[in-house]
Amino acid sequence: MAPEQTAADYLEKEILILLAGRCGERRGRRWRPHPDRISQVALHESCHAVVAAAVGQSQRGIAIARDGTRGVMFHASAAAPPLPPIDLQDPKTIIEAYKPGMSDFEQAVDFAKLMKQHGWGAYLRGMWKRADVILERHWLAATILASEVRERRIVGPERVQQILDRWMPVTAPSLSAFLNGSQQTGATT
């Protein structure tokens, strides 16, 4: 975590990253209603990585179990870094709120409650929408990364970063413009 980052910034980014997996699974079911479990887990973890990169967190790789039942996306802020003085509560409270064994969604709920003691549900819904917007913008990167994760099961940080660097800047309008330009160029040669 950067020294100038407040605890609120840290928690907000964590909530977005935590929600990204389930949000991406739902988005993926629009295109493939009945994915196999390995594909579902690969997409879930890839969406965590895409949102982490979008909010400025460095990822440290993705791994899914051989049987495909669970996975993990490592990112820099997950190591519970020392926090600067904060405007929310004691930093120890935030670190203790990060409980191993909890689902991503349960963890996001706990963090939302730290951010907003009253109205945390509405806050969490807003964060879900923000995560979905990020995934919509970078869906191509998420699906390409998920394909790699599904195939290899363990994808190191360098390869994840290569995929994110290559595909996150690509959006539907820029891809359409590229393809239209290629078709026009191809037609004249």
Side-chain angles (χ1 to χ4, degrees):
M1 183 166 71
E4 66 278 356
Q5 185 175 358
T6 67
D9 293 337
Y10 168 79
L11 287 176
E12 190 169 278
K13 289 175 182 181
E14 283 298 308
I15 291 168
L16 287 169
I17 294 166
L18 288 164
L19 293 175
R22 185 180 280 187
C23 186
E25 284 181 45
R26 287 202 179 162
R27 178 171 280 283
R29 284 191 203 109
R30 294 177 198 160
W31 305 102
R32 190 171 177 197
H34 305 289
D36 60 90
R37 183 67 181 147
I38 294 171
S39 296
Q40 187 178 356
V41 172
L43 181 62
H44 178 104
E45 300 305 332
S46 296
C47 289
H48 284 310
V50 165
V51 171
V55 300
Q57 299 293 331
S58 59
Q59 56 72 36
R60 295 182 180 157
I62 299 173
I64 60 175
R66 288 184 191 268
D67 63 3
T69 58
R70 62 191 183 286
V72 64
M73 188 283 301
F74 304 99
H75 67 286
S77 63
L83 298 172
I86 59 171
D87 54 352
L88 288 172
Q89 296 178 15
D90 185 290
K92 187 174 149 188
T93 306
I94 296 167
I95 293 168
E96 288 174 354
Y98 203 83
K99 299 175 186 129
M102 291 179 74
S103 74
D104 294 337
F105 190 74
E106 292 169 326
Q107 191 66 61
V109 167
D110 274 5
F111 282 170
K113 288 177 180 177
L114 283 173
M115 291 290 286
K116 304 280 184 188
Q117 290 180 354
H118 303 288
W120 63 266
Y123 172 76
L124 196 63
R125 283 189 295 281
M127 295 299 283
W128 178 279
K129 289 176 184 174
R130 286 180 59 193
D132 192 49
V133 166
I134 292 168
L135 289 172
E136 179 179 26
R137 186 174 302 135
H138 302 295
W139 189 243
L140 183 60
T143 57
I144 289 171
L145 181 56
S147 177
E148 181 100 359
V149 171
R150 184 188 193 295
E151 182 179 316
R152 295 177 58 195
R153 300 293 199 273
I154 298 173
V155 182
E158 297 82 18
R159 180 64 181 144
V160 171
Q161 198 60 51
Q162 283 177 338
I163 293 170
L164 296 178
D165 288 346
R166 172 64 183 99
W167 295 104
M168 279 189 72
V170 178
T171 61
S174 68
L175 185 59
S176 296
F178 172 77
L179 293 174
N180 288 335
S182 296
Q183 290 171 349
Q184 291 172 356
T185 305
T188 59
T189 54

